[in-house]
């Protein structure tokens, strides 16, 4: 099973929604959404998963963003009411709790009675204190852990490996110095390594920031399989990076490199790659949010295709 972990920004939610609408999420993919805002896009995306009867997960105690404050302030609003209804009624949702040393069930914005739909996340040894106090010896659906020996020894049940595979650099221009690098082989070895699945933060990375800025360079991050079916990531970076002006021109420069890469047969075509090709052919600039959306879509669909091809490895 593959659990792409997304922070619920607008472009991430739209990426999931477009994959869902185009039936590009296989049964071996269960996205995790950590909501950062109580937004119409969040609720409509979750409603789409319910209507399609597609499995999805929502973090009940998000550690970033303003969701908890907005949910509390607008607890009687239509959005909160719709969200509560989804959580109460959907049979296809899992509910994620991020462990910490002092975690208690009261941290969750809503109580969930069904322990069989509960997912826990332990990324540091101190997180075991919250896990042991609240969930040890209970039959949770999955327990996510980082690759640490102590966590693997002490966490029980169905374990899922969670990793941050994206090497985030300070500036987009820095990716020019190392434009191609190893990304992951978890999809090949998670069963051999005694996990029930694997999770990552796609091409965004675990680090969260709400602030935006005009970059000097445009970078398109695309994962692809090498000859051994390892996932690598290629960074297609613009050339005229002396100042933050003309983002459309910079996108065109980066896109030309991507299209050359695709035409060389090095990237499997996905819904997102076809969209990049349309943008190239029309000379359109969709904005940087859409560029990230398409890169996320490509990654998730590519892994979904791999797991479908190797269905025995995704159980």
């Amino acid at each position: 099973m593959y659990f792409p972990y997304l922070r619920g920004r607008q472009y991430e939610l739209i990426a999931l929604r477009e994959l869902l609408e185009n039936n590009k999420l296989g049964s071996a993919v269960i996205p995790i959404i950590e909501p950062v805002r109580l937004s119409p896009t969040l609720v409509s995306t979750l409603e789409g998963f319910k209507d399609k009867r597609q499995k999805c997960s929502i973090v009940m105690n998000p550690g970033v963003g303003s969701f908890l404050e907005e949910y509390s302030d607008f607890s009687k609003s239509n959005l909160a009411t719709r969200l509560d209804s989804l959580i109460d009624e959907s049979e296809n949702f899992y509910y994620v709790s991020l462990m910490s040393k002092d975690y208690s069930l009261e941290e969750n914005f809503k109580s969930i009675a069904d322990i069989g739909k509960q997912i826990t996340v332990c990324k540091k040894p101190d997180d075991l204190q919250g896990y042991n106090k609240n969930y040890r010896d209970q039959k949770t659906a999955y327990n996510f852990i980082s690759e640490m020996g102590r966590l693997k020894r002490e966490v029980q049940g169905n374990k899922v490996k969670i990793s941050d595979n994206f090497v985030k650099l300070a500036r987009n221009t820095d990716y020019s110095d190392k434009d191609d690098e190893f990304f992951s082989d978890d999809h090949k070895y998670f069963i051999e390594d005694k996990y029930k699945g694997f999770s990552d933060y796609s091409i965004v990375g675990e680090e969260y920031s709400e602030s935006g800025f005009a970059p000097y360079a445009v970078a398109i991050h695309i994962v692809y399989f090498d000859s051994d079916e390892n996932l690598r990531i290629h960074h297609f970076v613009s050339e005229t990076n002396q100042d933050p002006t003309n983002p459309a021109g910079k996108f065109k420069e980066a896109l030309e490199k991507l299209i050359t890469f695709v035409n060389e047969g090095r990237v499997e075509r996905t819904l997102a790659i076809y969209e990049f090709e349309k943008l190239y052919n029309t000379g359109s600039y969709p904005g940087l949010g859409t560029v990230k959306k398409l890169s996320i879509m490509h990654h998730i669909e590519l892994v979904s295709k791999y797991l479908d091809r190797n269905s025995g490895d995704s159980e």
Side-chain angles (χ1 to χ4, degrees):
M1 301 296 297
Y2 174 47
F3 300 82
Y5 193 114
L6 301 175
R7 279 304 182 11
R9 299 176 182 88
Q10 183 88 347
Y11 63 83
E12 292 167 305
L13 294 170
I14 295 174
L16 290 179
R17 193 166 67 193
E18 292 188 8
L19 289 170
L20 183 68
E21 291 171 350
N22 288 277
N23 299 313
K24 298 300 183 181
L25 290 173
S27 60
V29 178
I30 303 177
I32 292 179
I33 299 172
E34 182 176 1
V36 295
R37 296 289 307 275
L38 179 57
S39 67
T41 307
L42 169 67
V43 176
S44 64
T45 300
L46 292 172
E47 286 174 340
F49 276 89
K50 178 187 175 184
D51 294 342
K52 285 268 194 177
R53 297 184 178 181
Q54 180 84 27
K55 291 181 180 179
C56 186
S57 309
I58 181 170
V59 175
M60 305 302 288
N61 61 332
V64 296
S66 55
F67 171 84
L68 292 176
E69 292 84 354
E70 293 170 356
Y71 180 85
S72 177
D73 289 345
F74 299 102
S75 60
K76 298 185 185 301
S77 72
N78 179 52
L79 281 180
T81 301
R82 286 165 60 191
L83 180 59
D84 286 344
S85 177
L86 282 166
I87 292 173
D88 290 338
E89 298 174 7
S90 179
E91 298 178 355
N92 300 305
F93 288 2
Y94 291 93
Y95 305 99
V96 183
S97 293
L98 308 178
M99 295 295 99
S100 65
K101 182 171 64 174
D102 303 315
Y103 172 83
S104 65
L105 291 172
E106 288 72 26
E107 288 184 19
N108 291 342
F109 70 85
K110 193 170 177 62
S111 298
I112 302 299
D114 188 355
I115 194 67
K117 293 295 183 70
Q118 178 69 54
I119 293 174
T120 69
V121 180
C122 293
K123 291 189 285 188
K124 304 185 299 294
D126 281 349
D127 295 345
L128 286 167
Q129 295 184 43
Y131 168 78
N132 288 332
K133 178 181 177 182
N134 295 277
Y135 294 105
R136 191 173 184 85
D137 298 323
Q138 297 198 57
K139 293 185 178 180
T140 52
Y142 298 100
N143 297 306
F144 285 41
I145 59 172
S146 59
E147 196 170 28
M148 290 186 181
R150 185 178 178 190
L151 294 177
K152 198 167 185 179
R153 288 192 302 270
E154 296 196 25
V155 172
Q156 301 175 340
N158 296 325
K159 290 186 275 288
V160 172
K161 177 184 176 182
I162 184 167
S163 307
D164 183 6
N165 298 319
F166 183 71
V167 180
K168 194 173 185 66
L169 301 180
R171 305 172 304 167
N172 282 343
T173 53
D174 296 335
Y175 291 107
S176 298
D177 297 330
K178 191 175 183 181
D179 62 3
D180 194 281
E181 56 191 331
F182 177 84
F183 188 79
S184 176
D185 58 9
D186 290 340
H187 53 286
K188 294 171 59 177
Y189 299 115
F190 71 95
I191 292 179
E192 182 179 324
D193 292 339
K194 310 300 182 185
Y195 293 106
K196 290 294 184 180
F198 60 100
S199 177
D200 59 36
Y201 298 87
S202 190
I203 55 84
V204 181
E206 182 178 5
E207 180 184 335
Y208 175 79
S209 174
E210 291 187 352
S211 60
F213 60 93
Y216 276 51
V218 168
I220 306 173
H221 310 288
I222 295 295
V223 297
Y224 68 98
F225 289 117
D226 66 15
S227 58
D228 295 319
E229 292 195 308
N230 299 307
L231 268 182
R232 297 186 65 82
I233 186 166
H234 199 98
H235 312 288
F236 302 93
V237 183
S238 56
E239 293 291 337
T240 55
N241 305 323
Q242 291 75 32
D243 57 55
T245 61
N246 192 20
K250 297 176 191 297
F251 170 69
K252 181 180 179 181
E253 293 171 350
L255 183 60
E256 286 176 344
K257 294 180 180 181
L258 169 58
I259 297 304
T260 298
F261 203 77
V262 171
N263 290 338
E264 291 172 349
R266 299 178 65 182
V267 180
E268 184 175 346
R269 280 183 167 84
T270 60
L271 183 66
I273 294 298
Y274 286 124
E275 186 59 35
F276 275 124
E277 290 178 317
K278 288 180 185 176
L279 293 170
Y280 176 76
N281 291 330
T282 60
S284 303
Y285 172 56
L288 296 179
T290 297
V291 174
K292 285 187 176 180
K293 178 200 75 171
L294 292 173
S295 297
I296 292 169
M297 288 174 62
H298 169 72
H299 177 206
I300 295 175
E301 183 182 346
L302 198 65
V303 175
S304 178
K305 284 183 172 184
Y306 174 89
L307 294 177
D308 285 347
R309 289 195 298 265
N310 300 272
S311 56
D313 296 337
S314 61
E315 298 299 328

